[in-house]
Amino acid sequence: MKKRLSFGILIFLSLFIFSCSNDENTNSSGLTESPEAIIQFDNSNFGIYKGVFIGSSGIVVINVNNEGKVSATMIIDGTTYIFTTSEVTQENQQTVINFTSGNDSFTFSVSSNGTNPEISNLTIAGHPNANIILVKETSVILTELFEGSYAGIGNSTDAGTFNAIVAGNKMAVLAYSNTNNAYFTIDGTINNNSISGVTSTGTNVNGTLNGNNMIGTWNDSQSNENGNWSGKRTY
């Protein structure tokens, strides 16, 4: 009886410790708080790449042998797409991988040291003219993905999608204007949760990061247009 009791206690403690360990890596929203990337691949083509999708709205995560496998996942409007490849990749080499998921496909390329990751030849059924930006995650800085929107106020009629990548004190945004039917990007910085940046079209962007939410304003001094934007972390 004592042996059975001790064994039962050990199982309980093991499950409790495992549960606590998992909880430490996620927040109350179920989002990870630790990088998925492995330290040995921080300066390699291998590792984890994360990005945001517009053409509808979504996120993308690409795993290049970070855990001994090559795969990609997209979550678009709540629908998950799993991409695979039969191609073999070599470490510390310029890399080009063709991913497929049924009739959907794209090409991922990255330099030998993990810089300049890009996606091309993107074909997703029901999402024409889609676009993606992505960055390489490192083992020391968590990369977070946000999805949101922006809109003008007053006489400013511009509105669209505003999806952001946050890694430490840097923010990269892919946005799409429904009014002008055009993509644009934003390079931003985050200092003590205060966001500032400039779009590729010259518009100033400011805001605040508060946990899994970001909110702010935009102002175009040339056209005298301005408005608000917001985003919520989804990965």
Side-chain angles (χ1 to χ4, degrees):
M1 182 68 178
K2 289 182 179 179
K3 289 183 178 179
R4 290 181 180 177
L5 180 61
S6 298
F7 183 65
I9 291 173
L10 285 173
I11 292 176
F12 172 78
L13 288 174
S14 297
L15 290 173
F16 178 77
I17 292 170
F18 177 76
S19 175
C20 289
S21 176
N22 283 344
D23 289 345
E24 289 175 357
N25 293 326
T26 59
N27 60 29
S28 59
S29 300
L31 299 169
T32 182
E33 290 297 320
S34 301
E36 299 172 61
I38 297 173
I39 188 171
Q40 70 189 81
F41 300 137
D42 279 351
N43 297 303
S44 164
N45 56 321
F46 285 6
I48 296 291
Y49 299 83
K50 296 180 179 180
V52 289
F53 173 101
I54 292 183
S56 290
S57 181
I59 62 95
V60 57
V61 179
I62 299 175
N63 183 334
V64 182
N65 280 322
N66 188 69
E67 298 167 336
K69 65 178 181 179
V70 180
S71 64
T73 300
M74 289 188 190
I75 303 175
I76 305 171
D77 295 339
T79 299
T80 300
Y81 300 76
I82 304 298
F83 291 81
T84 59
T85 183
S86 59
E87 298 174 16
V88 177
T89 59
Q90 300 294 326
E91 189 174 2
N92 299 322
Q93 298 293 322
Q94 176 75 27
T95 300
V96 178
I97 305 172
N98 294 300
F99 284 100
T100 59
S101 176
N103 293 324
D104 302 322
S105 62
F106 67 90
T107 300
F108 169 77
S109 61
V110 67
S111 62
S112 60
N113 61 358
T115 58
N116 303 316
E118 293 183 352
I119 285 180
S120 59
N121 304 320
L122 179 61
T123 301
I124 308 292
H127 303 282
N129 303 316
N131 205 345
I132 291 174
I133 61 169
L134 71 166
V135 301
K136 179 180 174 68
E137 182 176 72
T138 68
S139 63
V140 294
I141 300 177
L142 173 67
T143 297
E144 302 169 295
L145 306 178
F146 293 75
E147 296 178 67
S149 61
Y150 76 94
I153 57 177
N155 294 324
S156 303
T157 59
D158 196 11
T161 307
F162 185 104
N163 290 352
I165 304 171
V166 172
N169 64 351
K170 296 182 179 180
M171 182 177 79
V173 177
L174 177 64
Y176 183 80
S177 169
N178 295 330
T179 305
N180 300 314
N181 295 319
Y183 283 100
F184 61 93
T185 57
I186 302 171
D187 288 325
T189 58
I190 302 173
N191 185 13
N192 293 325
N193 293 326
S194 293
I195 299 170
S196 61
V198 180
T199 73
S200 52
T201 57
T203 299
N204 292 312
V205 175
N206 294 283
T208 302
L209 176 63
N210 183 14
N212 293 327
N213 296 283
M214 53 172 58
I215 190 169
T217 60
W218 58 271
N219 179 272
D220 187 336
S221 59
Q222 294 182 345
S223 65
N224 291 321
E225 289 188 297
N226 60 87
N228 301 314
W229 61 267
S230 63
K232 181 177 181 179
R233 186 182 170 198
T234 56
Y235 193 93

